[in-house]
């Protein structure tokens, strides 16, 4: 696959980037080289490889580690009242 100006423009739009005009040719060459390397993966024979997906995530009991965390966090706040942070008013 060769990266041309049309595809590079589309990639710029999708990635929300702008490639300077003096670097476009180098960028196209590098992208073409990257895609060519990825295409070589298509040549790997994977038909004899069996997928084993029988592993599971170990589960653990849900236990309360520290129940009074609100008071602990608020103790570090410059100002708090009734379980809430007090911050300066920024909107009228």
């Amino acid at each position: 696959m060769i990266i041309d100006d049309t595809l590079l423009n589309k990639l710029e739009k999708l990635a929300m980037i702008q490639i300077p005009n003096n670097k476009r040719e180098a960028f196209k060459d590098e992208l073409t080289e990257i895609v060519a390397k990825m295409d070589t993966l298509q040549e790997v024979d994977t038909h004899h490889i069996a997928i084993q997906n029988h592993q599971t995530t170990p589960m653990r009991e849900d236990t309360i580690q520290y129940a009074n965390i609100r008071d602990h966090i608020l103790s570090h706040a410059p100002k708090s009242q009734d379980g809430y942070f007090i911050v300066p008013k920024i909107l009228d």
Side-chain angles (χ1 to χ4, degrees), residues 6 19 24 28 34 43 47 53-54 64-65 87 90:
T6 305
I19 302 168
R24 291 181 75 79
K28 288 191 301 188
I34 290 169
E43 299 171 9
H47 295 298
N53 199 11
H54 61 283
I64 298 173
Q65 299 294 322
V87 296
I90 59 170

Side-chain angles (χ1 to χ4, degrees), residues 40-51:
T40 60
L41 292 176
Q42 297 293 329
E43 299 171 9
V44 177
D45 181 22
T46 58
H47 295 298
H48 64 279
I49 298 174
I51 297 174

Side-chain angles (χ1 to χ4, degrees), residues 40-77:
T40 60
L41 292 176
Q42 297 293 329
E43 299 171 9
V44 177
D45 181 22
T46 58
H47 295 298
H48 64 279
I49 298 174
I51 297 174
Q52 297 177 357
N53 199 11
H54 61 283
Q55 297 175 346
T56 60
T57 304
M59 302 296 278
R60 64 171 173 80
E61 281 294 319
D62 286 336
T63 58
I64 298 173
Q65 299 294 322
Y66 185 62
N68 201 10
I69 196 162
R70 182 185 72 171
D71 293 335
H72 176 70
I73 291 172
L74 288 174
S75 70
H76 299 290

Side-chain angles (χ1 to χ4, degrees), residues 1-40:
M1 172 185 240
I2 296 176
I3 307 295
D4 60 359
D5 286 322
T6 305
L7 184 55
L8 189 61
N9 290 337
K10 186 175 181 178
L11 291 172
E12 274 185 307
K13 186 176 179 180
L14 289 172
M16 293 190 284
I17 60 172
Q18 186 174 5
I19 302 168
N21 288 334
N22 61 345
K23 295 187 179 186
R24 291 181 75 79
E25 288 302 318
F27 207 85
K28 288 191 301 188
D29 292 340
E30 286 182 36
L31 283 176
T32 301
E33 186 177 326
I34 290 169
V35 171
K37 288 180 181 178
M38 293 297 116
D39 282 342
T40 60

